[in-house]
Amino acid sequence: NVYAAKPDAFQQEEVALLNELVEDLGHALQMIEMMAAHDRAEQALVQSETNFRTLTANANVGILVNCRGRHVFGNARLLAMLGYSLEQLQQTGMAEIVHPDEYATVMQRFQQRLSGAPVDSTYETLFLTRDGRELPVEITATQTLWEGVPAGLVFVNDISERRRAEARMRQLSSALEQTADAVMITDK
């Protein structure tokens, strides 16, 4: 409100001009608040992207995103496991990295997951490295969006060491079962 010492101190045009000024100031304040909110949202997005990059770069598991039949993202751990550069991986699909004996099962689960059907999210399978070696892996898969499109998000653990240890345990167990003599096991 604008005050004057005497009544009707302002002419009709002055009052209209002052009212217009008040409206303009109100709109300006709204715009400033909207811009501040936009800046806060933009800063939150930048922080979120930084967190994502840090997380994926330092993860001790492979992270893979498959969208529209192509691999669109792989973190450094996954690339090291499979022997690909990111550019090379982005030229591949599931057929190039999943062992042929496992491909139908993996694809069936992938399609079911994308359609929203219930399916085991964690299981073991075989991948193929770029040079053709078999790589036993445990994967945990879920659905995500990649640039607004449904995609598969897969966390990949190399279980080669675990498989070797299991085979060694079976071998030792079999040897123990086959011996008729007493066996002493020490930690040396």
Side-chain angles (χ1 to χ4, degrees), residues 3-7 9:
Y3 298 98
K6 61 181 185 168

Side-chain angles (χ1 to χ4, degrees), residues 18-188:
L18 288 171
N19 281 334
E20 188 178 326
L21 179 61
V22 167
E23 284 181 28
D24 288 348
L25 287 172
H27 289 301
L29 290 173
Q30 283 180 326
M31 290 301 295
I32 290 170
E33 180 55 38
M34 285 176 40
M35 289 172 26
H38 180 267
D39 288 347
R40 288 190 300 272
E42 198 170 84
Q43 289 171 351
L45 179 60
V46 167
Q47 184 62 51
S48 178
E49 289 173 350
T50 301
N51 291 346
F52 174 78
R53 281 191 196 94
T54 302
L55 173 70
T56 59
N58 294 292
N60 197 27
V61 297
I63 302 173
L64 174 69
V65 178
N66 182 292
C67 184
R68 295 183 173 139
R70 293 317 242 175
H71 299 123
V72 294
F73 176 82
N75 71 341
R77 176 73 176 123
L78 180 85
L79 298 174
M81 270 192 258
L82 298 179
Y84 287 95
S85 69
L86 180 58
E87 294 75 23
Q88 292 166 331
L89 182 72
Q90 289 173 332
Q91 299 303 311
T92 68
M94 298 297 278
E96 288 84 8
I97 68 166
V98 176
H99 192 280
D101 295 344
E102 299 284 320
Y103 182 75
T105 303
V106 170
M107 286 307 296
Q108 180 182 19
R109 287 179 175 172
F110 180 73
Q111 292 303 324
Q112 288 174 328
R113 187 170 297 103
L114 285 181
S115 72
V119 61
D120 288 338
S121 62
T122 302
Y123 59 95
E124 293 181 7
T125 191
L126 275 178
F127 275 8
L128 294 174
T129 63
R130 185 165 180 258
D131 62 9
R133 277 184 308 108
E134 293 180 357
L135 179 68
V137 294
E138 177 183 75
I139 66 173
T140 302
T142 190
Q143 184 176 345
T144 190
L145 291 176
W146 188 265
E147 297 178 352
V149 177
L153 171 62
V154 184
F155 299 92
V156 183
N157 284 300
D158 179 348
I159 58 171
S160 301
E161 277 301 313
R162 182 168 80 192
R163 289 270 177 97
R164 280 192 285 277
E166 289 169 351
R168 182 71 177 138
M169 293 281 285
R170 283 191 300 276
Q171 182 184 32
L172 291 172
S173 178
S174 176
L176 283 173
E177 289 173 4
Q178 294 176 13
T179 185
D181 297 327
V183 176
M184 179 187 290
I185 299 175
T186 65
D187 59 349
K188 293 188 180 194

